[in-house]
Amino acid sequence: MSKILVIAEHLGGKLNSSTARAVSAAAAIKGDAIDVLVLSDAPDAIAAEAAKIEGVSRVLTVAKPENAHPLAAVLAPQIAKAADGYSHVFAPSTTFGKDIAPRVAALLGVAQVSDVMSVEAAHTFNRPIYAGNAIITVEADANHTVVATIRTASWSAAASGANTAPVEALTIDVPLPTHTRFVELNQGSSDRPDLQSAAKVVSGGRGVGSKENFDIIYKFADKIGAAVGASRAAVDAGYCPNEMQVGQTGKIIAPELYMAIGISGAIQHLTGIKDAGTIVAINKDGEAPIFEVADFGLVGDLFKIIPELEAALG
Amino acid sequence: MKILVGYKRVVDYNVRIQVKPDGSGVVTDGVKLSANPFDDIALEEALRLREKGVAEEVIVVGIGPANLTAHLRNGLAMGANRAIHVTTEDAVQPLTAARVFLKLIEKEQPGLVILGKQAIDDDANQTGQMLAALWDRPQATFAGKVEIADGKATVTREVDAGLEVIEADLPAVITTDLRLNEPRFIKLPDIMKAKSKPIDVIEFGSLGVEAHDHLKTTHYAAPAKRSKGVMVKDAAELVAALKQKGLL
């Protein structure tokens, strides 16, 4: 009965791991088919990657020069058209998916379920509200297409490699607007692991004190092969760029190891790390709320402790 | 041009909400209510555009019960020219809110609509995008910087990969991210002045917007608690503990 269309997220010709996480949620529906839709100017390499993801039935590509950049106003009408015959349309709950999915839902005249954490049944989902301080169970109308975004931190990426799903080119004839145009993307260049998919994350907060001091966080992260994150306070103070922000209004992550250094642990920050495997807090204030969620806590000066940690690692 | 600003009232962001033991909802009786933080940013941006001469009029829009008036007065005290209050006793989901805004757009013909990127109660992050779709106009979500000139908006968006710049013809819908601006504080004389500013009250039922709940919430639960951790005495003990768990 259920046929699920997963919208692929990609950048620079590469599939984003958020797509395989959305496929995991689609698999939890236990439906008849999971198709992945790749909209791009050059979808072939991305589609080939998507075809390897376990559980994927088919990969559908829409190649248009207008799809070179992910503009919601351009992609949404194509997705709405491609959604015909599907019971579910899933997108990852990243800035890409959050931008596009509600536009698709409105075009289809249906509600959207945001940030699906778990699937109870084909039309019943759990999602967080109030910055993750309550979890609600919501039922979508079974007579309509379910449009949902998938909370990436709640789902592990579906395995990749063994599958060989067929790739089919789709022709979608819908008028595309020209009222919205891409100008540029300024990426924070980084050789470090991606924050949202990294197994280890080291984050710094206001306690780090300055942009220059943040080097100690980068250096330590590199030593243990971790991605680097930051609290809102550190971003607002200009210590690091905004795409590093972890929390309700930044990225929501679930690494195996999360180390919060010089972060007090405001509700908004904790929302972003609640699902981490092991949380370590290093803070000079023993009363900081971060210690309430930390598996291991160490009270002291981070500028003294980090070199000691590096020494202990050998 | 006119700018319409969505101005939702939510449980204050500092309140740690409690789930009712029977799972029927969260405790909101006697809890402090405030403007959704992203909506304050939206209003601030609209006021700055008026101060730059880009806009002539800023209108705050609220959807909610009769006592929402006091909340809208705060928006007027911050500097909005007037308010529109769509009255309903029922909670309104994003698709319905977007349909209400579309009706108001037809009436007011704004050059720009600015909404917060999400409300901190339902955390949906949908209304702006849905409105832009229904209106068939551009959307610029997660705005960190907005420049308006020559009938178009150049918006820097805070996306996962970094900062994306897009250009959108007006009219358009912009949704605000945290770093767009620092909202101004309300001064006492402005609270007095706000009392004489007009609030247009519109009965939800008179708009001809379908009012059914698109999603049914059947249960509320408290999130799973993390088990209490341990305090270690020094760096060496921490590294040893993490090595033992296979994390380092």
Side-chain angles (χ1 to χ4, degrees), chain A residues 98-99 112 114 127 131 135 137 139 181 183-184 186 245 274 276 295 297, chain B residues 122-124 126 129 139 141 163 165 167 169 179 216 218 221 226 230 232:
Chain A
K98 288 175 183 173
D99 189 36
Q112 184 201 279
S114 294
R127 63 169 299 257
I135 312 298
T137 306
E139 261 177 43
R181 296 167 295 272
V183 179
E184 60 178 347
N186 300 307
Q245 187 181 320
K274 267 182 192 149
D295 300 280
Chain B
D122 64 13
D123 281 334
Q126 299 174 9
Q129 295 89 314
Q139 70 188 46
T141 53
L163 297 171
V165 182
E167 201 178 83
D169 296 338
R179 272 168 292 276
K216 213 184 299 162
T218 55
R226 295 185 70 95
V230 295
V232 294

PDB file of all heavy atoms in Angstrom, chain A residues 98-99 112 114 127 131 135 137 139 181 183-184 186 245 274 276 295 297, chain B residues 122-124 126 129 139 141 163 165 167 169 179 216 218 221 226 230 232:
ATOM      1  N   LYS A  98      13.984  21.303   5.323  1.00  0.00           N
ATOM      2  CA  LYS A  98      13.051  22.206   6.004  1.00  0.00           C
ATOM      3  C   LYS A  98      12.585  23.323   5.079  1.00  0.00           C
ATOM      4  O   LYS A  98      11.493  23.848   5.220  1.00  0.00           O
ATOM      5  CB  LYS A  98      13.728  22.841   7.216  1.00  0.00           C
ATOM      6  CG  LYS A  98      13.951  21.904   8.377  1.00  0.00           C
ATOM      7  CD  LYS A  98      14.739  22.649   9.442  1.00  0.00           C
ATOM      8  CE  LYS A  98      15.089  21.769  10.620  1.00  0.00           C
ATOM      9  NZ  LYS A  98      15.980  22.465  11.543  1.00  0.00           N
ATOM     10  N   ASP A  99      13.449  23.707   4.151  1.00  0.00           N
ATOM     11  CA  ASP A  99      13.118  24.767   3.203  1.00  0.00           C
ATOM     12  C   ASP A  99      12.108  24.264   2.171  1.00  0.00           C
ATOM     13  O   ASP A  99      11.158  24.959   1.818  1.00  0.00           O
ATOM     14  CB  ASP A  99      14.422  25.211   2.518  1.00  0.00           C
ATOM     15  CG  ASP A  99      14.263  26.459   1.655  1.00  0.00           C
ATOM     16  OD1 ASP A  99      13.485  27.346   2.045  1.00  0.00           O
ATOM     17  OD2 ASP A  99      14.924  26.538   0.599  1.00  0.00           O
ATOM     18  N   GLN A 112       2.266  18.987   7.086  1.00  0.00           N
ATOM     19  CA  GLN A 112       3.575  18.345   7.119  1.00  0.00           C
ATOM     20  C   GLN A 112       3.907  17.921   8.538  1.00  0.00           C
ATOM     21  O   GLN A 112       3.619  18.646   9.495  1.00  0.00           O
ATOM     22  CB  GLN A 112       4.643  19.308   6.624  1.00  0.00           C
ATOM     23  CG  GLN A 112       6.008  18.647   6.552  1.00  0.00           C
ATOM     24  CD  GLN A 112       7.150  19.631   6.562  1.00  0.00           C
ATOM     25  OE1 GLN A 112       7.479  20.197   5.545  1.00  0.00           O
ATOM     26  NE2 GLN A 112       7.741  19.824   7.719  1.00  0.00           N
ATOM     27  N   SER A 114       6.919  17.560  10.938  1.00  0.00           N
ATOM     28  CA  SER A 114       8.315  17.986  11.023  1.00  0.00           C
ATOM     29  C   SER A 114       9.101  17.112  11.989  1.00  0.00           C
ATOM     30  O   SER A 114       8.573  16.712  13.028  1.00  0.00           O
ATOM     31  CB  SER A 114       8.394  19.434  11.528  1.00  0.00           C
ATOM     32  OG  SER A 114       7.830  20.322  10.597  1.00  0.00           O
ATOM     33  N   ARG A 127       7.288  13.065  17.267  1.00  0.00           N
ATOM     34  CA  ARG A 127       8.161  14.210  16.960  1.00  0.00           C
ATOM     35  C   ARG A 127       8.300  15.101  18.196  1.00  0.00           C
ATOM     36  O   ARG A 127       7.439  15.118  19.073  1.00  0.00           O
ATOM     37  CB  ARG A 127       7.609  15.021  15.781  1.00  0.00           C
ATOM     38  CG  ARG A 127       6.249  15.677  16.001  1.00  0.00           C
ATOM     39  CD  ARG A 127       5.942  16.652  14.875  1.00  0.00           C
ATOM     40  NE  ARG A 127       6.942  17.695  14.828  1.00  0.00           N
ATOM     41  CZ  ARG A 127       6.756  18.940  15.277  1.00  0.00           C
ATOM     42  NH1 ARG A 127       5.605  19.312  15.787  1.00  0.00           N
ATOM     43  NH2 ARG A 127       7.726  19.825  15.212  1.00  0.00           N
ATOM     44  N   ALA A 131      11.432  22.559  22.027  1.00  0.00           N
ATOM     45  CA  ALA A 131      12.873  22.307  22.085  1.00  0.00           C
ATOM     46  C   ALA A 131      13.213  20.910  22.622  1.00  0.00           C
ATOM     47  O   ALA A 131      14.182  20.732  23.338  1.00  0.00           O
ATOM     48  CB  ALA A 131      13.572  23.381  22.929  1.00  0.00           C
ATOM     49  N   ILE A 135       7.568  15.078  23.722  1.00  0.00           N
ATOM     50  CA  ILE A 135       7.501  14.294  22.483  1.00  0.00           C
ATOM     51  C   ILE A 135       6.028  14.040  22.209  1.00  0.00           C
ATOM     52  O   ILE A 135       5.312  13.528  23.083  1.00  0.00           O
ATOM     53  CB  ILE A 135       8.219  12.923  22.632  1.00  0.00           C
ATOM     54  CG1 ILE A 135       9.612  13.085  23.263  1.00  0.00           C
ATOM     55  CG2 ILE A 135       8.275  12.199  21.292  1.00  0.00           C
ATOM     56  CD1 ILE A 135      10.595  13.908  22.490  1.00  0.00           C
ATOM     57  N   THR A 137       2.867  12.369  19.784  1.00  0.00           N
ATOM     58  CA  THR A 137       2.487  11.385  18.784  1.00  0.00           C
ATOM     59  C   THR A 137       1.445  12.046  17.893  1.00  0.00           C
ATOM     60  O   THR A 137       0.434  12.534  18.403  1.00  0.00           O
ATOM     61  CB  THR A 137       1.891  10.131  19.467  1.00  0.00           C
ATOM     62  OG1 THR A 137       2.837   9.675  20.444  1.00  0.00           O
ATOM     63  CG2 THR A 137       1.620   9.033  18.468  1.00  0.00           C
ATOM     64  N   GLU A 139      -1.011  11.924  14.310  1.00  0.00           N
ATOM     65  CA  GLU A 139      -1.628  11.096  13.276  1.00  0.00           C
ATOM     66  C   GLU A 139      -1.939  11.961  12.071  1.00  0.00           C
ATOM     67  O   GLU A 139      -2.603  12.993  12.193  1.00  0.00           O
ATOM     68  CB  GLU A 139      -2.954  10.534  13.809  1.00  0.00           C
ATOM     69  CG  GLU A 139      -2.852   9.112  14.317  1.00  0.00           C
ATOM     70  CD  GLU A 139      -4.185   8.655  14.885  1.00  0.00           C
ATOM     71  OE1 GLU A 139      -5.225   8.937  14.262  1.00  0.00           O
ATOM     72  OE2 GLU A 139      -4.157   8.048  15.971  1.00  0.00           O
ATOM     73  N   ARG A 181      16.423  33.447  -7.536  1.00  0.00           N
ATOM     74  CA  ARG A 181      17.673  33.116  -8.209  1.00  0.00           C
ATOM     75  C   ARG A 181      18.807  32.887  -7.207  1.00  0.00           C
ATOM     76  O   ARG A 181      18.927  33.607  -6.224  1.00  0.00           O
ATOM     77  CB  ARG A 181      18.052  34.257  -9.174  1.00  0.00           C
ATOM     78  CG  ARG A 181      17.047  34.440 -10.314  1.00  0.00           C
ATOM     79  CD  ARG A 181      17.254  35.734 -11.057  1.00  0.00           C
ATOM     80  NE  ARG A 181      17.014  36.922 -10.254  1.00  0.00           N
ATOM     81  CZ  ARG A 181      15.811  37.514 -10.108  1.00  0.00           C
ATOM     82  NH1 ARG A 181      14.742  37.012 -10.700  1.00  0.00           N
ATOM     83  NH2 ARG A 181      15.688  38.590  -9.365  1.00  0.00           N
ATOM     84  N   VAL A 183      22.557  33.120  -5.990  1.00  0.00           N
ATOM     85  CA  VAL A 183      23.676  34.036  -6.235  1.00  0.00           C
ATOM     86  C   VAL A 183      25.000  33.343  -5.911  1.00  0.00           C
ATOM     87  O   VAL A 183      25.852  33.190  -6.763  1.00  0.00           O
ATOM     88  CB  VAL A 183      23.530  35.345  -5.421  1.00  0.00           C
ATOM     89  CG1 VAL A 183      24.717  36.266  -5.675  1.00  0.00           C
ATOM     90  CG2 VAL A 183      22.221  36.049  -5.767  1.00  0.00           C
ATOM     91  N   GLU A 184      25.148  32.902  -4.659  1.00  0.00           N
ATOM     92  CA  GLU A 184      26.401  32.212  -4.299  1.00  0.00           C
ATOM     93  C   GLU A 184      26.252  31.445  -2.995  1.00  0.00           C
ATOM     94  O   GLU A 184      25.317  31.673  -2.229  1.00  0.00           O
ATOM     95  CB  GLU A 184      27.547  33.222  -4.169  1.00  0.00           C
ATOM     96  CG  GLU A 184      27.288  34.282  -3.112  1.00  0.00           C
ATOM     97  CD  GLU A 184      28.451  35.256  -2.938  1.00  0.00           C
ATOM     98  OE1 GLU A 184      29.540  34.970  -3.454  1.00  0.00           O
ATOM     99  OE2 GLU A 184      28.259  36.280  -2.271  1.00  0.00           O
ATOM    100  N   ASN A 186      28.734  30.516   0.264  1.00  0.00           N
ATOM    101  CA  ASN A 186      30.038  30.661   0.933  1.00  0.00           C
ATOM    102  C   ASN A 186      30.176  29.573   1.972  1.00  0.00           C
ATOM    103  O   ASN A 186      29.502  29.604   3.002  1.00  0.00           O
ATOM    104  CB  ASN A 186      30.148  32.043   1.594  1.00  0.00           C
ATOM    105  CG  ASN A 186      30.025  33.150   0.575  1.00  0.00           C
ATOM    106  OD1 ASN A 186      30.737  33.161  -0.426  1.00  0.00           O
ATOM    107  ND2 ASN A 186      29.098  34.068   0.801  1.00  0.00           N
ATOM    108  N   GLN A 245      27.155  25.945  14.790  1.00  0.00           N
ATOM    109  CA  GLN A 245      26.293  26.002  15.982  1.00  0.00           C
ATOM    110  C   GLN A 245      25.490  24.722  16.193  1.00  0.00           C
ATOM    111  O   GLN A 245      24.819  24.228  15.287  1.00  0.00           O
ATOM    112  CB  GLN A 245      25.330  27.190  15.899  1.00  0.00           C
ATOM    113  CG  GLN A 245      24.541  27.377  17.186  1.00  0.00           C
ATOM    114  CD  GLN A 245      23.583  28.543  17.097  1.00  0.00           C
ATOM    115  OE1 GLN A 245      23.918  29.579  16.533  1.00  0.00           O
ATOM    116  NE2 GLN A 245      22.384  28.367  17.624  1.00  0.00           N
ATOM    117  N   LYS A 274      20.993  15.875  22.907  1.00  0.00           N
ATOM    118  CA  LYS A 274      20.353  14.894  23.783  1.00  0.00           C
ATOM    119  C   LYS A 274      20.555  13.450  23.377  1.00  0.00           C
ATOM    120  O   LYS A 274      20.540  12.560  24.214  1.00  0.00           O
ATOM    121  CB  LYS A 274      18.840  15.168  23.814  1.00  0.00           C
ATOM    122  CG  LYS A 274      18.444  16.068  24.962  1.00  0.00           C
ATOM    123  CD  LYS A 274      16.945  16.254  24.965  1.00  0.00           C
ATOM    124  CE  LYS A 274      16.590  17.379  25.907  1.00  0.00           C
ATOM    125  NZ  LYS A 274      15.407  18.072  25.471  1.00  0.00           N
ATOM    126  N   ALA A 276      23.177  12.126  21.876  1.00  0.00           N
ATOM    127  CA  ALA A 276      24.576  11.696  21.757  1.00  0.00           C
ATOM    128  C   ALA A 276      24.792  10.450  22.613  1.00  0.00           C
ATOM    129  O   ALA A 276      24.152  10.280  23.648  1.00  0.00           O
ATOM    130  CB  ALA A 276      25.499  12.828  22.199  1.00  0.00           C
ATOM    131  N   ASP A 295      27.704  12.245  30.893  1.00  0.00           N
ATOM    132  CA  ASP A 295      28.047  10.920  31.408  1.00  0.00           C
ATOM    133  C   ASP A 295      29.333  10.997  32.209  1.00  0.00           C
ATOM    134  O   ASP A 295      29.513  10.284  33.180  1.00  0.00           O
ATOM    135  CB  ASP A 295      28.202   9.936  30.244  1.00  0.00           C
ATOM    136  CG  ASP A 295      26.915   9.817  29.459  1.00  0.00           C
ATOM    137  OD1 ASP A 295      26.026   9.094  29.917  1.00  0.00           O
ATOM    138  OD2 ASP A 295      26.785  10.489  28.412  1.00  0.00           O
ATOM    139  N   GLY A 297      31.898  14.081  33.808  1.00  0.00           N
ATOM    140  CA  GLY A 297      32.100  15.506  34.038  1.00  0.00           C
ATOM    141  C   GLY A 297      33.456  15.751  34.664  1.00  0.00           C
ATOM    142  O   GLY A 297      33.941  14.944  35.465  1.00  0.00           O
TER     143      GLY A 297
ATOM    144  N   ASP B 122       5.675  24.733  18.771  1.00  0.00           N
ATOM    145  CA  ASP B 122       5.482  23.533  17.946  1.00  0.00           C
ATOM    146  C   ASP B 122       6.729  23.164  17.129  1.00  0.00           C
ATOM    147  O   ASP B 122       6.774  22.085  16.538  1.00  0.00           O
ATOM    148  CB  ASP B 122       4.244  23.668  17.042  1.00  0.00           C
ATOM    149  CG  ASP B 122       4.370  24.785  16.009  1.00  0.00           C
ATOM    150  OD1 ASP B 122       5.489  25.307  15.820  1.00  0.00           O
ATOM    151  OD2 ASP B 122       3.345  25.133  15.393  1.00  0.00           O
ATOM    152  N   ASP B 123       7.736  24.062  17.103  1.00  0.00           N
ATOM    153  CA  ASP B 123       8.988  23.808  16.368  1.00  0.00           C
ATOM    154  C   ASP B 123       8.748  23.280  14.943  1.00  0.00           C
ATOM    155  O   ASP B 123       9.525  22.458  14.450  1.00  0.00           O
ATOM    156  CB  ASP B 123       9.885  22.818  17.141  1.00  0.00           C
ATOM    157  CG  ASP B 123      10.633  23.485  18.289  1.00  0.00           C
ATOM    158  OD1 ASP B 123      10.872  24.700  18.207  1.00  0.00           O
ATOM    159  OD2 ASP B 123      10.969  22.787  19.272  1.00  0.00           O
ATOM    160  N   ALA B 124       7.678  23.756  14.288  1.00  0.00           N
ATOM    161  CA  ALA B 124       7.310  23.178  12.990  1.00  0.00           C
ATOM    162  C   ALA B 124       8.196  23.679  11.848  1.00  0.00           C
ATOM    163  O   ALA B 124       8.602  22.903  10.991  1.00  0.00           O
ATOM    164  CB  ALA B 124       5.849  23.459  12.686  1.00  0.00           C
ATOM    165  N   GLN B 126       7.345  25.739   9.248  1.00  0.00           N
ATOM    166  CA  GLN B 126       6.585  25.460   8.023  1.00  0.00           C
ATOM    167  C   GLN B 126       5.831  26.660   7.461  1.00  0.00           C
ATOM    168  O   GLN B 126       5.672  26.773   6.237  1.00  0.00           O
ATOM    169  CB  GLN B 126       5.527  24.369   8.286  1.00  0.00           C
ATOM    170  CG  GLN B 126       6.078  23.039   8.733  1.00  0.00           C
ATOM    171  CD  GLN B 126       4.974  22.064   9.124  1.00  0.00           C
ATOM    172  OE1 GLN B 126       3.785  22.317   8.906  1.00  0.00           O
ATOM    173  NE2 GLN B 126       5.346  20.956   9.702  1.00  0.00           N
ATOM    174  N   GLN B 129       7.152  28.912   4.470  1.00  0.00           N
ATOM    175  CA  GLN B 129       7.308  28.175   3.225  1.00  0.00           C
ATOM    176  C   GLN B 129       5.936  27.870   2.613  1.00  0.00           C
ATOM    177  O   GLN B 129       5.736  27.957   1.401  1.00  0.00           O
ATOM    178  CB  GLN B 129       8.048  26.849   3.474  1.00  0.00           C
ATOM    179  CG  GLN B 129       9.490  26.982   3.946  1.00  0.00           C
ATOM    180  CD  GLN B 129       9.625  27.077   5.467  1.00  0.00           C
ATOM    181  OE1 GLN B 129       8.899  27.810   6.129  1.00  0.00           O
ATOM    182  NE2 GLN B 129      10.568  26.329   6.017  1.00  0.00           N
ATOM    183  N   GLN B 139      10.471  32.493  -1.611  1.00  0.00           N
ATOM    184  CA  GLN B 139      10.698  32.382  -0.174  1.00  0.00           C
ATOM    185  C   GLN B 139      12.192  32.485   0.077  1.00  0.00           C
ATOM    186  O   GLN B 139      12.997  31.987  -0.714  1.00  0.00           O
ATOM    187  CB  GLN B 139      10.163  31.054   0.366  1.00  0.00           C
ATOM    188  CG  GLN B 139      10.953  29.823  -0.060  1.00  0.00           C
ATOM    189  CD  GLN B 139      10.265  28.533   0.352  1.00  0.00           C
ATOM    190  OE1 GLN B 139       9.059  28.355   0.167  1.00  0.00           O
ATOM    191  NE2 GLN B 139      11.047  27.624   0.919  1.00  0.00           N
ATOM    192  N   THR B 141      14.198  31.575   3.341  1.00  0.00           N
ATOM    193  CA  THR B 141      14.113  31.084   4.716  1.00  0.00           C
ATOM    194  C   THR B 141      15.468  31.233   5.411  1.00  0.00           C
ATOM    195  O   THR B 141      16.502  31.352   4.757  1.00  0.00           O
ATOM    196  CB  THR B 141      13.690  29.608   4.732  1.00  0.00           C
ATOM    197  OG1 THR B 141      14.576  28.879   3.881  1.00  0.00           O
ATOM    198  CG2 THR B 141      12.272  29.440   4.217  1.00  0.00           C
ATOM    199  N   LEU B 163      26.837  29.900   4.191  1.00  0.00           N
ATOM    200  CA  LEU B 163      25.947  31.027   3.933  1.00  0.00           C
ATOM    201  C   LEU B 163      25.611  31.060   2.444  1.00  0.00           C
ATOM    202  O   LEU B 163      26.494  31.154   1.603  1.00  0.00           O
ATOM    203  CB  LEU B 163      26.622  32.339   4.361  1.00  0.00           C
ATOM    204  CG  LEU B 163      26.942  32.451   5.858  1.00  0.00           C
ATOM    205  CD1 LEU B 163      27.797  33.676   6.131  1.00  0.00           C
ATOM    206  CD2 LEU B 163      25.659  32.513   6.686  1.00  0.00           C
ATOM    207  N   VAL B 165      23.541  32.933  -0.642  1.00  0.00           N
ATOM    208  CA  VAL B 165      22.907  34.198  -1.022  1.00  0.00           C
ATOM    209  C   VAL B 165      21.945  33.934  -2.169  1.00  0.00           C
ATOM    210  O   VAL B 165      22.314  33.292  -3.162  1.00  0.00           O
ATOM    211  CB  VAL B 165      23.970  35.239  -1.455  1.00  0.00           C
ATOM    212  CG1 VAL B 165      23.296  36.573  -1.792  1.00  0.00           C
ATOM    213  CG2 VAL B 165      25.011  35.432  -0.359  1.00  0.00           C
ATOM    214  N   GLU B 167      18.537  35.760  -4.546  1.00  0.00           N
ATOM    215  CA  GLU B 167      17.894  36.994  -4.952  1.00  0.00           C
ATOM    216  C   GLU B 167      16.430  36.650  -5.224  1.00  0.00           C
ATOM    217  O   GLU B 167      16.155  35.657  -5.902  1.00  0.00           O
ATOM    218  CB  GLU B 167      18.573  37.429  -6.246  1.00  0.00           C
ATOM    219  CG  GLU B 167      18.453  38.874  -6.599  1.00  0.00           C
ATOM    220  CD  GLU B 167      19.236  39.115  -7.886  1.00  0.00           C
ATOM    221  OE1 GLU B 167      18.680  38.855  -8.971  1.00  0.00           O
ATOM    222  OE2 GLU B 167      20.405  39.535  -7.789  1.00  0.00           O
ATOM    223  N   ASP B 169      12.523  38.267  -6.305  1.00  0.00           N
ATOM    224  CA  ASP B 169      11.682  39.396  -6.710  1.00  0.00           C
ATOM    225  C   ASP B 169      10.596  39.614  -5.667  1.00  0.00           C
ATOM    226  O   ASP B 169      10.056  38.661  -5.115  1.00  0.00           O
ATOM    227  CB  ASP B 169      11.028  39.097  -8.068  1.00  0.00           C
ATOM    228  CG  ASP B 169      12.053  38.968  -9.187  1.00  0.00           C
ATOM    229  OD1 ASP B 169      13.164  39.513  -9.016  1.00  0.00           O
ATOM    230  OD2 ASP B 169      11.746  38.324 -10.214  1.00  0.00           O
ATOM    231  N   ARG B 179      20.470  35.328  13.897  1.00  0.00           N
ATOM    232  CA  ARG B 179      21.501  36.347  13.786  1.00  0.00           C
ATOM    233  C   ARG B 179      21.140  37.494  12.852  1.00  0.00           C
ATOM    234  O   ARG B 179      21.974  38.336  12.556  1.00  0.00           O
ATOM    235  CB  ARG B 179      22.830  35.704  13.370  1.00  0.00           C
ATOM    236  CG  ARG B 179      23.633  35.233  14.577  1.00  0.00           C
ATOM    237  CD  ARG B 179      24.782  34.368  14.175  1.00  0.00           C
ATOM    238  NE  ARG B 179      24.293  33.113  13.647  1.00  0.00           N
ATOM    239  CZ  ARG B 179      23.965  32.085  14.413  1.00  0.00           C
ATOM    240  NH1 ARG B 179      24.094  32.162  15.717  1.00  0.00           N
ATOM    241  NH2 ARG B 179      23.503  30.982  13.885  1.00  0.00           N
ATOM    242  N   LYS B 216      -3.486  15.227  13.890  1.00  0.00           N
ATOM    243  CA  LYS B 216      -4.104  15.018  15.193  1.00  0.00           C
ATOM    244  C   LYS B 216      -3.023  14.594  16.185  1.00  0.00           C
ATOM    245  O   LYS B 216      -2.309  13.614  15.939  1.00  0.00           O
ATOM    246  CB  LYS B 216      -5.168  13.919  15.078  1.00  0.00           C
ATOM    247  CG  LYS B 216      -6.345  14.142  16.020  1.00  0.00           C
ATOM    248  CD  LYS B 216      -7.323  12.981  15.958  1.00  0.00           C
ATOM    249  CE  LYS B 216      -7.907  12.790  14.567  1.00  0.00           C
ATOM    250  NZ  LYS B 216      -8.499  11.458  14.379  1.00  0.00           N
ATOM    251  N   THR B 218      -2.178  12.760  19.401  1.00  0.00           N
ATOM    252  CA  THR B 218      -2.890  11.785  20.216  1.00  0.00           C
ATOM    253  C   THR B 218      -2.244  11.577  21.586  1.00  0.00           C
ATOM    254  O   THR B 218      -2.886  11.065  22.490  1.00  0.00           O
ATOM    255  CB  THR B 218      -2.954  10.419  19.494  1.00  0.00           C
ATOM    256  OG1 THR B 218      -1.623  10.031  19.157  1.00  0.00           O
ATOM    257  CG2 THR B 218      -3.783  10.528  18.224  1.00  0.00           C
ATOM    258  N   ALA B 221       4.396  13.014  25.637  1.00  0.00           N
ATOM    259  CA  ALA B 221       5.261  12.287  26.576  1.00  0.00           C
ATOM    260  C   ALA B 221       6.465  13.142  26.931  1.00  0.00           C
ATOM    261  O   ALA B 221       6.895  13.986  26.140  1.00  0.00           O
ATOM    262  CB  ALA B 221       5.721  10.975  25.948  1.00  0.00           C
ATOM    263  N   ARG B 226      18.339  10.996  30.496  1.00  0.00           N
ATOM    264  CA  ARG B 226      19.652  10.364  30.473  1.00  0.00           C
ATOM    265  C   ARG B 226      20.001   9.950  31.895  1.00  0.00           C
ATOM    266  O   ARG B 226      19.659  10.650  32.841  1.00  0.00           O
ATOM    267  CB  ARG B 226      20.705  11.349  29.963  1.00  0.00           C
ATOM    268  CG  ARG B 226      20.524  11.762  28.528  1.00  0.00           C
ATOM    269  CD  ARG B 226      21.672  12.640  28.084  1.00  0.00           C
ATOM    270  NE  ARG B 226      22.917  11.883  27.971  1.00  0.00           N
ATOM    271  CZ  ARG B 226      23.359  11.358  26.827  1.00  0.00           C
ATOM    272  NH1 ARG B 226      22.678  11.521  25.724  1.00  0.00           N
ATOM    273  NH2 ARG B 226      24.489  10.683  26.791  1.00  0.00           N
ATOM    274  N   VAL B 230      28.953  10.398  35.953  1.00  0.00           N
ATOM    275  CA  VAL B 230      29.925  10.447  37.042  1.00  0.00           C
ATOM    276  C   VAL B 230      30.891  11.616  36.836  1.00  0.00           C
ATOM    277  O   VAL B 230      31.149  12.021  35.718  1.00  0.00           O
ATOM    278  CB  VAL B 230      30.746   9.141  37.142  1.00  0.00           C
ATOM    279  CG1 VAL B 230      29.851   7.967  37.517  1.00  0.00           C
ATOM    280  CG2 VAL B 230      31.483   8.845  35.846  1.00  0.00           C
ATOM    281  N   VAL B 232      34.701  12.880  37.106  1.00  0.00           N
ATOM    282  CA  VAL B 232      36.055  12.339  37.188  1.00  0.00           C
ATOM    283  C   VAL B 232      36.958  13.405  37.795  1.00  0.00           C
ATOM    284  O   VAL B 232      36.644  14.591  37.754  1.00  0.00           O
ATOM    285  CB  VAL B 232      36.586  11.898  35.805  1.00  0.00           C
ATOM    286  CG1 VAL B 232      35.783  10.723  35.280  1.00  0.00           C
ATOM    287  CG2 VAL B 232      36.541  13.055  34.808  1.00  0.00           C
TER     288      VAL B 232
END
